[in-house]
Amino acid sequence: MGTFMDVHHIEGGVAAADVAAAHEKDLAAQGEFGVNYLRYWVDEEAGKIFCLVEAPDADAAAAVHRKAHGLVADEIYPISAEG
């Protein structure tokens, strides 16, 4: 299991309430893919969403977003959760 940070770029900005609703959908779908969405951060004005996730691989993390709400990340990075 790896740890990943995914990044979404939403042109025109994004509402924190919309991101919270999408996150709830991720949580409902994640078990099917062996994924654990841990936390997210939002910059509403800039339209940036950052999701911290434990997943077997980046494809599994993306599959959860795709199934849950269709908002697949623009970028996904493997990260070290230490430090």
Side-chain angles (χ1 to χ4, degrees), residues 8 13 16 20 25 39-40 42-43 48-49 52 55 60-61 63 76 82:
H8 304 257
K25 290 178 182 179
R39 187 165 179 193
Y40 67 91
V42 181
D43 181 333
K48 305 286 187 205
I49 306 165
L52 182 64
I76 187 163
E82 298 179 29

Side-chain angles (χ1 to χ4, degrees), residues 1 7 9 14 17 19 22-23 26-28 32 36 38 43 46 51-52 54-55 57 60-61 65 68 70 73 75 82:
M1 186 77 76
V7 184
H9 306 281
V14 64
V19 178
H23 180 69
D26 288 330
L27 296 179
E32 177 181 342
N36 184 24
L38 300 169
D43 181 333
C51 303
L52 182 64
E54 292 176 331
D57 54 42
H65 280 334
E75 303 159 48
E82 298 179 29

Side-chain angles (χ1 to χ4, degrees), residues 59-73:
D59 290 337
V64 173
H65 280 334
R66 189 176 299 107
K67 179 173 184 170
H69 46 68
L71 299 174
V72 178

